[in-house]
Amino acid sequence: MEISIINYNKAYAKNFYDLNIEWLKTFFYVEPYDEEVLSQPDKYIIDKGGFIFFGMKNNAVVGTVALMPTKDDGILELTKMAVLPEERGQKIGQKLLQYCIDFAQLQNLKALLLYSNTKLENAIYLYRKYGFKELLLEKDNPYERANIKMLLEY
């Protein structure tokens, strides 16, 4: 079944929240910062010049990802990527990642930045495969669970 990717729609805000909360609870735990951002995506992402995309299959949301503004002009943070548990392993995450990379190039961005955790071996492998390079992780990064910071420059 073909996956289509659509731009943010308020009607899917609950899907954005639910997908990410499930993912965080499965692999880590929900930090207060996550709860804040996920429950108010318009305020923290869209209204600040960020973007949210949804992977759709049969008119249903099966995955999501966000590009969030950073302190640096021209650099967006690739974040909040999650796929429905029963849809994992079908390269939906890869499609969302490729979409974000292409989108960032079309927007003439300087780079995409991400924070992750090395226990997510498949994700880290994927990021490296797509050209992300490891950077020094700052001590005051936004996520307690992050132990790796990566950048894809254009």
Side-chain angles (χ1 to χ4, degrees):
M1 178 51 56
E2 192 59 37
I3 302 295
S4 58
I5 296 176
I6 63 165
N7 289 330
Y8 180 69
N9 179 328
K10 256 189 181 35
Y12 299 127
K14 187 172 178 354
N15 299 81
F16 180 70
Y17 179 88
D18 291 345
L19 280 166
N20 276 285
I21 292 294
E22 184 282 326
W23 184 89
L24 286 165
K25 285 180 174 172
T26 299
F27 294 100
F28 300 99
Y29 55 91
V30 180
E31 297 178 25
Y33 179 68
D34 296 315
E35 180 64 43
E36 188 76 15
V37 172
L38 293 170
S39 60
Q40 301 178 72
D42 288 282
K43 176 181 175 184
Y44 286 98
I45 299 172
I46 302 299
D47 296 347
K48 291 188 172 176
F51 305 90
I52 296 173
F53 304 110
F54 294 102
M56 307 292 290
K57 182 176 170 183
N58 295 331
N59 295 320
V61 175
V62 293
T64 188
V65 65
L67 295 176
M68 215 157 73
T70 65
K71 296 182 297 263
D72 299 309
D73 232 14
I75 299 178
L76 291 181
E77 178 188 348
L78 177 80
T79 186
K80 311 296 179 239
M81 189 188 301
V83 173
L84 272 179
E86 60 272 23
E87 299 289 343
R88 290 181 189 147
Q90 298 183 47
K91 300 194 180 337
I92 295 169
Q94 246 175 271
K95 286 187 171 87
L96 289 166
L97 177 60
Q98 186 63 62
Y99 187 88
C100 288
I101 290 169
D102 295 343
F103 178 83
Q105 282 180 310
L106 289 171
Q107 299 291 315
N108 290 317
L109 294 180
K110 285 190 247 171
L112 286 180
L113 170 77
L114 65 85
Y115 294 91
S116 192
N117 187 294
T118 50
K119 96 173 194 182
L120 302 170
E121 292 174 9
N122 292 352
I124 302 301
Y125 171 80
L126 199 61
Y127 299 142
R128 288 198 168 111
K129 179 179 156 185
Y130 279 83
F132 282 84
K133 306 272 189 271
E134 195 170 338
L135 296 178
L136 186 67
L137 180 68
E138 68 273 23
K139 292 214 180 344
D140 62 345
N141 83 77
Y143 309 99
E144 288 172 27
R145 66 183 167 271
N147 70 0
I148 188 170
K149 178 180 178 178
M150 303 180 88
L151 188 75
L152 174 65
E153 289 187 277
Y154 293 103

